[in-house]
Structure formats: C-alpha cells, structure tokens
Amino acid sequence: AQTVTQSQPEMSVQEAETVTLSCTYDTSENNYYLFWYKQPPSRQMILVIRQEAYKQQNATENRFSVNFQKAAKSFSLKISDSQLGDTAMYFCAFILNTGNQFYFGTGTSLTVIP
Amino acid sequence: DAGVTQSPTHLIKTRGQHVTLRCSPISGHKSVSWYQQVLGQGPQFIFQYYEKEERGRGNFPDRFSARQFPNYSSELNVNALLLGDSALYLCASRGGWTVYEQYFGPGTRLTVT
C-alpha cells in the first residue's frame, strides 16, 4: 500500500524566517516522483517543488528546497525567507513512475505571521 | 493558454439526488483524473481517463462514474448523494506519458444537505 504521512497539522512562522514541513511516505516501489503542493484558500492546487526519486541531489526552487532521504522515506520541505503569501495548506504527495494516481498526505496548514 | 477549467464552481444538492461535474483539460492534454478532497484531508483518487478509456479507479462505490468525450473533456457523475459526498472535487489534466506533468483545476465545491 502507498501512504503519505504529514505529522504536523498546523505550523506557524514569522515573516522572513525559515520553516520546515515534514513528510514521510511508504511504498515498496523504487521509481517514483515526490511533490509538495500548495493549496491557498482559493483552492487551486499549485505545484511548489518536485523531486525525482532516482536523483540524490535535493531539488530547489527559489526559496523552497527539500531534504530527500530515500532510505528513510522522508521528504521535508524547507521554506526560507517566509512571505505572507506562503500562508496556505501544504500537501506532500507522490506518484509511481508507472502509476496513474497521486497519493497525498493530510496536509499541513502553514500560517506566516507578519 | 487556458488552464484546467471546472464547472460549476460550487453547488448544493440534497441527499439522494444526482450530480454531474465537468472538467475541461488543458488544450492538447488527453488524460483527465478526478480526485475527491474532503474537508481537512488530502485529495483521494477517484478515476483516470486517457483517450476516452478508464485507465484507473480508486476505492469509491459504483455510485461514482465518469466518462471522457472525444474533445477530452470529462464528466464525473455521482448518484444517490450522501452527506459524506460533500467535498471539493478536483480534476487534473495530463499531457503525455510523463506521469508528473499534471495540472489541477480550481475544483468544484459540492455540498450535500
């Protein structure tokens, strides 16, 4: 079975500070892609960052970076220089290379405090 | 280019009724997937359609059905609505064989009373 666990239902961070969101997942497959999605109150699911499981190098996208530990099946998201616009629900997800569906976690609600 | 569009934006139905939700993928995309997102949860996979054929189905009852049209737009149908069907229904559009190139629409908020 494929599962994703986000153990932090809510988090807050001061504007301009750094915050890390945790995610662990479980799959017996070896080839997959990992994602962090942002869902603001507008409901639109927005891709934040993607990581290919076969790549050891951690993905970065401007202020967003991940810490991917494949053996531990851990995939955390670090947001640097937090901005008010980062306030949203964040979902960790993965999809198998041969699959047709995303597996999502339950989300972390992030609030950036001015 | 227009992104994934979904209609209606929101609607309210009564228990036992039927509902049809619609999704138009990004131009040129041939695959559409449907997800249900209950309040406070992550999206759950319902269906995937590619080239008008069902290519995957999640753990949902037969009350849920879908189809894809020749123009690659899609409908999700839910019969005999239950209170528990209240959720945000998301559609995702995919262009080719790259499984990760999927784009989500804004969703349809369904409330069942």
Side-chain angles (χ1 to χ4, degrees), chain A residues 41-61:
Chain A
S42 67
R43 310 179 319 201
Q44 184 81 47
M45 198 72 81
I46 301 165
L47 177 65
V48 174
I49 198 166
R50 181 184 75 228
Q51 172 81 42
E52 290 85 348
Y54 64 85
K55 289 186 177 179
Q56 291 186 328
Q57 185 173 5
N58 290 322
T60 62
E61 197 72 43

Side-chain angles (χ1 to χ4, degrees), chain A residues 23-35:
Chain A
C23 172
T24 58
Y25 61 93
D26 192 23
T27 179
S28 58
E29 301 292 327
N30 199 45
N31 298 311
Y32 48 88
Y33 298 88
L34 293 151
F35 307 82

Side-chain angles (χ1 to χ4, degrees), chain A residues 33 35 37 39 42-45 50 91 95-97 99-102 104-106, chain B residues 9 35 37 40-43 45 48 55-56 88 99-100 102 104-107 109:
Chain A
Y33 298 88
F35 307 82
Y37 278 94
Q39 189 178 43
S42 67
R43 310 179 319 201
Q44 184 81 47
M45 198 72 81
R50 181 184 75 228
F91 291 96
I95 188 168
L96 302 178
N97 195 38
N100 55 12
Q101 62 171 292
F102 285 98
F104 284 90
T106 52
Chain B
T9 303
Y35 289 80
Q37 186 180 10
Q41 300 293 319
F45 174 72
Q48 188 212 6
R55 297 300 182 98
L88 179 68
V99 296
Y100 56 80
Q102 300 201 38
F104 285 89
R109 170 75 65 191

Side-chain angles (χ1 to χ4, degrees), chain A residues 44-100:
Chain A
Q44 184 81 47
M45 198 72 81
I46 301 165
L47 177 65
V48 174
I49 198 166
R50 181 184 75 228
Q51 172 81 42
E52 290 85 348
Y54 64 85
K55 289 186 177 179
Q56 291 186 328
Q57 185 173 5
N58 290 322
T60 62
E61 197 72 43
N62 300 316
R63 299 183 293 107
F64 300 89
S65 62
V66 298
N67 183 1
F68 174 45
Q69 303 289 329
K70 190 172 184 179
K73 296 181 181 175
S74 171
F75 184 61
S76 61
L77 174 70
K78 185 172 80 171
I79 306 174
S80 304
D81 185 26
S82 296
Q83 301 176 359
L84 297 179
D86 295 334
T87 293
M89 281 290 290
Y90 286 81
F91 291 96
C92 177
F94 75 93
I95 188 168
L96 302 178
N97 195 38
T98 56
N100 55 12

Side-chain angles (χ1 to χ4, degrees), chain B:
Chain B
D1 284 343
V4 180
T5 59
Q6 293 187 242
S7 63
T9 303
H10 60 269
L11 72 165
I12 300 173
K13 290 286 189 178
T14 303
R15 277 177 296 175
Q17 286 188 319
H18 162 271
V19 69
T20 298
L21 311 181
R22 295 177 175 83
C23 171
S24 293
I26 293 171
S27 178
H29 285 196
K30 299 180 179 180
S31 173
V32 169
S33 297
W34 287 95
Y35 289 80
Q36 180 195 64
Q37 186 180 10
V38 174
L39 190 63
Q41 300 293 319
Q44 296 289 317
F45 174 72
I46 309 175
F47 288 110
Q48 188 212 6
Y49 275 78
Y50 180 75
E51 288 281 16
K52 303 178 287 295
E53 291 187 4
E54 182 182 307
R55 297 300 182 98
R57 183 185 182 115
N59 188 24
F60 280 81
D62 291 343
R63 298 185 296 107
F64 289 77
S65 63
R67 55 179 176 168
Q68 187 176 33
F69 298 99
N71 66 353
Y72 302 111
S73 65
S74 177
E75 283 183 354
L76 175 69
N77 295 284
V78 186
N79 292 323
L81 284 167
L82 303 174
L83 295 179
D85 296 331
S86 294
L88 179 68
Y89 289 84
L90 295 168
C91 172
S93 161
R94 185 173 116 191
W97 291 110
T98 51
V99 296
Y100 56 80
E101 290 286 353
Q102 300 201 38
Y103 303 89
F104 285 89
T108 293
R109 170 75 65 191
L110 171 65
T111 301
V112 182
T113 61

